[in-house]
Amino acid sequence: MDSITDIVVVGAGAAGISAMRVLARANCTSLLLEASPRIGGRAWTVMPKREQHVDLGCGWLHSAEQNPWVQVAEEAGVSVDRRQAAWGKQYQNLDFNPEEQKAARKFLRDWNSEMWERPPETDSAWDAASRVEGVERWRPYLERVVGAVSGKRLDEVSVTDFMNYHQASTEADWRLPVGFGHLVAASLPREANTLVATPVTGIVLEPFGVRLETRSGTLRARAAILTVSTNVLASGSIALPTALTDWQAAASDLSLGSNEKVFLEIVSPSDFEPETQVVGNPRSSITGAYYIRPLGRNVVESFYGGEAASEIWSLGPAHAYDFATNELVRLFGSKARSSLRPLTISGWKQDPWVLGSYSCASPRKSIARTQLARAYDGRIFFAGEATHRTAFSTVHGAFLSGERAAQEALHALSV
Ligand SMILES: Cc1cc2nc3c(=O)[nH]c(=O)nc-3n(C[C@H](O)[C@H](O)[C@H](O)COP(=O)(O)OP(=O)(O)OC[C@H]3O[C@@H](n4cnc5c(N)ncnc54)[C@H](O)[C@@H]3O)c2cc1C
């Protein structure tokens, strides 16, 4: 480990991988360091049973018409499913009649108009919601929606940040039958120098660039690109130069929310219609959204955000499986119980290399995204979903941020 690498990338998630794709095309030496034994980060496809592979993290190509991963998939010969998602539709109006659905949609529209036309001075999404007619009735519903999108409670969400995302996003959400995690991992160039199971524990400024301390020894580089999640950055698990205190503060202002998934296997597929969706309890914030037989597979993908994810996961995986099953039995009847089996479950909050789901700016802190994305002294660069001003919390935001940081580093080193 004596020679100096031009650019070391820390973290092999979507951002680190896209940075390595740029560096692989440049005339420089590069190395990717990943703490966990696998690559992909929050993009992770697992196969708990044959032919039943599922994504524990990202699954949807949001803003699909402009999502760079569509091109990556097409170039790799990977098929993209362009069918419209069943989100927002309550299968057979179970426990949610059409009148209620209409009223809930109106409430969401009014809340959006309020944020757009009269954004509260506090920048808090709750302060905007509290002024909308029907808030007492629809608050739990809105908390679930915001929890899914942002991973946090309404009062923890910045209106400016929320609107920045929604103005830039499109309605189209596509999928990758092969699994999003598989595509992300496979998109790392084969020739890329990569060390997995090698956590970086510290970065030190040196006259030649930076010194990286890892559990396997010390590395020297002219520049480093840091792509770790905001919660990892803010946790201090990587000792950083004091000059980077402002970057760590920005990361704290963009902390990750809670979003988790439970997958249930369906053993009697005829009991459930493919490509349908239900909300467990539209009158509670502690509830899930259940995507039934996505892509025709015999699974239920259950998704929880914000308070629901924190509360349910605090009681352990067995409780989460029971919670999902009980919500479905309440809607579909007791016969459903014998048709559903625990399959697999995520644990992003407990994952020491991630520590949450995706970044969300606290009220008045949306500017932290621009602060976090700044380079330090032409030798430390920052990427990762949280650094994208409008496509944060997504895999395409991570991809674009990795490209940006790699280009900045190449420019700084004049290579
Ligand atoms: C449940 C869930 C559902 C989601 N659904 C979607 C979706 O449908 N569509 C979408 O677009 N996005 C979705 N996302 C968000 C998306 O997965 C992320 O925005 C994206 O994958 C983040 O990529 P990243 O490279 O910025 O960070 P990460 O994927 O977190 O990559 C950072 C890497 O750094 C590594 N690391 C950490 N510490 C160290 C260290 N000390 N040394 C070396 N390496 C280290 C980590 O192990 C990790 O591999 C979802 C996320 C979750 C959790």
Side-chain angles (χ1 to χ4, degrees):
M1 291 200 180
D2 242 348
S3 60
I4 299 183
T5 305
D6 286 324
I7 302 172
V8 169
V9 177
V10 182
I17 289 172
S18 90
M20 289 302 281
R21 286 165 64 92
V22 173
L23 300 180
R25 296 192 291 265
N27 185 21
C28 73
T29 54
S30 57
L31 172 64
L32 178 61
L33 296 178
E34 167 56 46
S36 90
R38 62 171 183 90
I39 60 168
R42 283 170 270 174
W44 191 11
T45 307
V46 296
M47 192 159 338
K49 279 216 164 158
R50 244 178 111 237
E51 304 299 319
Q52 297 280 44
H53 58 269
V54 294
D55 276 302
L56 289 178
C58 56
W60 296 89
L61 294 149
H62 296 311
S63 298
E65 316 90 328
Q66 56 197 43
N67 192 314
W69 287 103
V70 172
Q71 198 187 333
V72 174
E74 282 167 352
E75 282 168 9
V78 166
S79 78
V80 175
D81 188 297
R82 291 172 162 80
R83 263 180 294 177
Q84 214 191 338
W87 289 334
K89 296 181 189 142
Q90 184 80 354
Y91 176 67
Q92 291 192 340
N93 301 322
L94 290 173
D95 194 31
F96 200 22
N97 69 46
E99 275 314 304
E100 289 176 300
Q101 291 182 51
K102 203 170 146 200
R105 278 196 298 273
K106 179 179 182 312
F107 180 78
L108 289 184
R109 271 198 314 276
D110 291 350
W111 171 62
N112 263 283
S113 306
E114 194 68 28
M115 290 197 292
W116 182 238
E117 288 159 20
R118 284 172 295 278
E121 198 258 324
T122 56
D123 197 34
S124 148
W126 162 244
D127 287 343
S130 66
R131 302 195 296 230
V132 180
E133 199 187 323
V135 63
E136 300 80 13
R137 182 181 182 199
W138 294 113
R139 182 176 187 175
Y141 185 82
L142 182 60
E143 290 285 8
R144 183 195 63 81
V145 171
V146 169
V149 175
S150 305
K152 294 200 179 161
R153 286 193 322 265
L154 273 166
D155 61 349
E156 299 172 308
V157 175
S158 152
V159 169
T160 312
D161 205 48
F162 194 89
M163 297 312 268
N164 282 346
Y165 179 95
H166 286 278
Q167 272 176 272
S169 78
T170 74
E171 295 297 309
D173 298 298
W174 298 343
R175 278 169 289 180
L176 293 156
V178 71
F180 211 151
H182 275 155
L183 178 70
V184 170
S187 67
L188 177 66
R190 227 171 272 150
E191 65 279 12
N193 286 321
T194 307
L195 290 176
V196 294
T198 309
V200 172
T201 53
I203 299 182
V204 182
L205 298 171
E206 295 279 9
F208 55 80
V210 292
R211 200 174 77 230
L212 294 109
E213 307 291 350
T214 81
R215 285 199 197 151
S216 332
T218 299
L219 285 154
R220 299 191 298 162
R222 292 172 67 204
I225 300 176
L226 270 175
T227 76
V228 300
S229 78
T230 49
N231 280 18
V232 170
L233 207 51
S235 74
S237 62
I238 304 178
L240 294 173
T242 47
L244 293 183
T245 307
D246 288 353
W247 279 257
Q248 276 182 306
S252 300
D253 292 336
L254 301 168
S255 62
L256 307 184
S258 292
N259 294 85
E260 302 287 357
K261 292 183 183 178
V262 166
F263 291 87
L264 300 171
E265 183 188 11
I266 300 175
V267 290
S268 312
S270 57
D271 292 347
F272 293 96
E273 212 167 298
E275 283 295 317
T276 55
Q277 202 249 191
V278 282
V279 171
N281 181 354
R283 285 165 285 278
S284 172
S285 59
I286 310 300
T287 187
Y290 301 88
Y291 207 106
I292 293 161
R293 300 190 58 200
L295 301 167
R297 296 193 178 130
N298 296 332
V299 296
V300 178
E301 176 168 345
S302 325
F303 189 63
Y304 305 86
E307 271 187 310
S310 307
E311 199 171 308
I312 297 164
W313 263 250
S314 71
L315 296 171
H319 174 75
Y321 282 123
D322 282 350
F323 188 91
T325 308
N326 290 339
E327 285 219 299
L328 289 165
V329 166
R330 197 178 77 81
L331 295 176
F332 287 87
S334 53
K335 196 169 162 238
R337 192 175 297 282
S338 55
S339 192
L340 299 169
R341 303 258 187 290
L343 187 63
T344 188
I345 188 166
S346 71
W348 295 106
K349 199 83 183 175
Q350 286 75 39
D351 182 330
W353 310 120
V354 180
L355 299 172
S357 57
Y358 25 87
S359 66
C360 169
S362 306
R364 294 205 172 114
K365 299 294 182 185
S366 69
I367 190 69
R369 301 203 182 275
T370 314
Q371 292 165 341
L372 184 62
R374 285 172 305 154
Y376 173 73
D377 195 33
R379 47 187 160 157
I380 303 184
F381 299 84
F382 290 83
E385 54 86 12
T387 65
H388 200 286
R389 202 183 68 85
T390 58
F392 52 83
S393 77
T394 68
V395 206
H396 62 283
F399 182 96
L400 295 170
S401 76
E403 284 192 329
R404 186 237 338 122
Q407 277 148 6
E408 285 172 1
L410 289 171
H411 182 73
L413 301 190
S414 309
V415 286

